[in-house]
Amino acid sequence: MHSDDVKDIVREAYGAIDSSTEAVAYKLYSPEELAGVPRSAIERALDVGNHLAFADIERGETILDLGCGGGIDSILAAQRTGPGGRVIALDFLPEMLERTAAAADEVGLDNVQTLEAEMEAIPLPEASIDHVISNGVINLSPRKRRVLAECARVLRPGGKLSVADLTVGDEELPPEILTHPATWAG
Amino acid sequence: MAGALTERDFVEKLEKAGFGDIKVHLREQVSVDDLALYPLFTDEIIELMRTLISSDRLEAVATSLIVTAKRRAGHLSP
Ligand SMILES: C[S@@+](CC[C@H](N)C(=O)[O-])C[C@H]1O[C@@H](n2cnc3c(N)ncnc32)[C@H](O)[C@@H]1O
């Protein structure tokens, strides 16, 4: 499938989600972790893992959340980096950024900043980020090499990357499934 | 998911992009039932998966991976 077609499918599919995905949040995060997350973000969770359980987030870090979606991980990361740090929540869909900003407001976090951009071309200076986090997003890009190069560029030397993502085995799924638009978006 | 890499390719791409100290912390099998939790996977595609994928693979159509890495010091290749 052509790279632009994949991006269009992904944009359209994520823009159209209107049902609650709280079951995803409750499957991956503990009640203690979710205690400080607003319902609105829990209901929009599209995570594929709990990378923050392994992420070494220090107070004061500048964190980039690549493909923030409804904001669940941006909120959790902003709480851990604290008022001396900040989270830049990046997504290419304005509606996702609005949800993330509203969720941050709801819990009184003023260290979450949103950024409308594509992860293949991150509009941030090089070495400006301490930690890139991303959950269920990189697999959606038709240009993964470019995305990882962008992550490396914006991270300072020694900067951290903490990712949860889907991978596949060597044995391919049937072509009817691999060519279906829903599997390119999900 | 259709564009997802194998773990080997993912780690290799991380190395090439300038990351070191790459650690895979968790690998969790993702079943068709797990995918059904996400609205992106419509009833139609879930049904298609249940029909076309062999029963022994329905429990593991993908793997959820958790990886951490550090940006190596020094010059990055373009
Ligand atoms: C599977 S959701 C994950 C959202 C969030 N990380 C979470 O765990 O709930 C993928 C998100 O990535 C965004 N996205 C997909 N492709 C993108 C791209 N090329 N650039 C920026 N954002 C993208 C989508 O709009 C969506 O919000």
Side-chain angles (χ1 to χ4, degrees):
Chain A
M1 195 173 303
H2 193 275
S3 175
D4 285 342
D5 295 337
V6 173
K7 236 182 239 179
D8 289 346
I9 287 172
V10 171
R11 271 183 192 274
E12 201 179 316
Y14 284 93
I17 297 176
D18 61 359
S19 53
S20 169
T21 48
E22 64 177 11
V24 171
Y26 288 117
K27 180 169 164 248
L28 297 172
Y29 298 86
S30 67
E32 293 75 29
E33 283 170 302
L34 294 178
V37 179
R39 271 224 68 75
S40 58
I42 293 174
E43 285 174 354
R44 294 289 177 180
L46 290 165
D47 313 75
V48 300
N50 183 354
H51 56 337
L52 298 183
F54 299 90
D56 171 27
I57 296 179
E58 290 166 68
R59 305 286 287 177
E61 280 186 347
T62 297
I63 298 168
L64 172 65
D65 185 6
L66 209 63
C68 61
I72 182 168
D73 296 321
S74 293
I75 300 288
L76 289 165
Q79 287 163 343
R80 280 170 63 181
T81 189
R86 69 191 165 121
V87 172
I88 302 171
L90 177 151
D91 206 287
F92 67 0
L93 286 180
E95 53 267 49
M96 294 295 184
L97 299 173
E98 281 162 25
R99 286 172 192 148
T100 297
D105 271 356
E106 210 179 314
V107 284
L109 285 170
D110 58 9
N111 59 346
V112 178
Q113 178 186 326
T114 57
L115 178 61
E116 185 180 337
E118 296 197 350
M119 62 179 154
E120 294 83 358
I122 303 173
L124 292 172
E126 60 187 69
S128 57
I129 299 292
D130 298 309
H131 201 151
V132 173
I133 60 172
S134 184
N135 199 338
V137 183
I138 297 172
N139 79 86
L140 301 172
S141 176
R143 299 176 68 203
K144 297 173 188 59
R145 233 177 68 183
R146 169 84 194 173
V147 173
L148 296 177
E150 278 294 86
C151 290
R153 183 186 64 78
V154 300
L155 276 172
R156 64 169 170 76
K160 293 169 266 188
L161 178 77
S162 302
V163 173
D165 212 349
L166 290 183
T167 55
V168 289
D170 286 323
E171 198 189 328
E172 286 203 342
L173 292 170
E176 295 88 335
I177 292 168
L178 284 180
T179 53
H180 196 290
T183 51
W184 282 95
Chain B
M1 194 184 90
L5 301 171
T6 61
E7 177 182 325
R8 195 179 50 248
D9 283 350
F10 190 64
V11 169
E12 203 179 291
K13 281 195 167 47
L14 279 173
E15 280 165 357
K16 284 198 176 137
F19 288 95
D21 197 11
I22 301 168
K23 293 186 182 127
V24 176
H25 297 271
L26 201 67
R27 295 176 185 91
E28 269 184 333
Q29 290 191 345
V30 178
S31 68
V32 172
D33 287 346
D34 294 326
L35 294 180
L37 291 177
Y38 300 83
L40 301 149
F41 291 92
T42 55
D43 292 347
E44 184 209 334
I45 186 72
I46 293 292
E47 210 34 61
L48 198 62
M49 285 185 178
R50 290 201 173 111
T51 313
L52 296 178
I53 298 176
S54 58
S55 53
D56 55 320
R57 277 194 78 191
L58 288 175
E59 286 304 310
V61 281
T63 301
S64 157
L65 205 68
I66 295 188
V67 182
T68 60
K70 286 196 178 137
R71 197 309 212 155
R72 283 196 304 265
H75 192 66
L76 295 171
S77 51

